[in-house]
Amino acid sequence: MLLSLTERLRQKYRTVPYPAKDPVLPERFRGRPHIDAAACLACAGKTCPACAAVCPTKAIRLTEQGPALDMGLCIFCGACAKACPAAALRFTRDWRLAATRREDLVILPQQGENAPPKVTPLEEPLRQVFSRSFRLRQISAAGCNACEADCNVLTTIVFDLARFGIDFVASPRHADAVLITGPLPRNMRLAAQKCYAAMPEPKFVIAVGACTLSGGLFRDFAPGGKGVSPHFSVDLFIPGCPPHPYTTLDGLLRLIGRL
């Protein structure tokens, strides 16, 4: 017992202070992309294909304003930033990537730093309930386990998801929202639909990761599917491959009105 108490005193308080303080992110973290319109035009104009040519998920398309990057398709590999001859495309340190609307995940060229996507909180009567208690039923729909692992990290002592009243439950009948990871291939669709149908009203759908948002690297394969949007009405999109735990936590807190 004495050894346990001594070790506990040595480790001190291990839970991160977020959201009271900004998170401490790893050096290799890639956050919300930014496309500098002036630098892009000064280099090769709106038709420079360098960034789009190396993108493995075709997340970048050329528009009249210049390249547009879809975070719902992006796997944040950084290949586009390395290929850009003018360094006009870069990944910032901003972890706030979640959005209520799928179209808000598209990054367009900007003169200045673009703002993070917007998460519209639940309506006031719902916030009064779910800001104190929000239960999630997680469905792994043929994911690679990266998104699943980082969602699981939220339940550890470091993030302590339960301190916000958010937790994962085993039964959909106890859940307020279904949190889906993976591309949702055809073999998983019926199971996901049955899980959603078993949940009581009101209920919500949260899509986590590039595979879930768009099919990611698997969207061109027949069994892979193109994510959850064709099959569910999504209330919160959290991009990334996988999203950092801070990104997921930030999106959840904004949805229930805790930020």
Side-chain angles (χ1 to χ4, degrees), residues 51-134:
C51 56
V54 298
C55 181
T57 59
K58 302 176 184 176
I60 301 176
R61 57 183 174 85
L62 301 179
T63 69
E64 293 183 358
Q65 295 79 28
L69 189 152
D70 186 348
M71 289 196 296
L73 286 165
C74 181
I75 60 172
F76 293 78
C77 65
C80 53
K82 293 178 182 178
C84 181
L89 196 159
R90 61 184 176 87
F91 288 85
T92 70
R93 304 281 294 171
D94 197 338
W95 66 95
R96 298 167 297 176
L97 307 179
T100 302
R101 302 191 310 162
R102 177 67 177 82
E103 54 267 33
D104 288 347
L105 297 179
V106 178
I107 303 295
L108 298 173
Q110 301 284 336
Q111 295 294 343
E113 193 76 17
N114 46 349
K118 182 180 179 182
V119 175
T120 303
L122 301 176
E123 296 179 358
E124 180 60 30
L126 296 177
R127 281 206 309 270
Q128 292 180 2
V129 176
F130 295 125
S131 64
R132 297 174 180 269
S133 175
F134 196 53

Side-chain angles (χ1 to χ4, degrees), residues 136-145 147-149 151 168-172 175 177-185 187-199 204-209 211-212 228 232:
L136 308 173
R137 175 64 170 92
Q138 199 270 327
I139 297 178
S140 178
C144 71
N145 205 41
C147 291
E148 292 85 347
C151 286
F168 291 94
V169 294
S171 171
V178 60
L179 187 149
I180 305 177
T181 56
L184 194 64
N187 289 345
M188 278 296 300
R189 288 168 199 162
L190 180 59
Q193 290 165 353
K194 284 184 175 181
C195 178
Y196 181 76
M199 294 167 54
F204 311 95
V205 176
I206 300 169
V208 175
C211 289
T212 319
V228 301
F232 291 95

Side-chain angles (χ1 to χ4, degrees), residues 216-227:
L217 291 166
F218 307 101
R219 68 192 182 107
D220 292 329
F221 294 89
K226 300 184 183 298

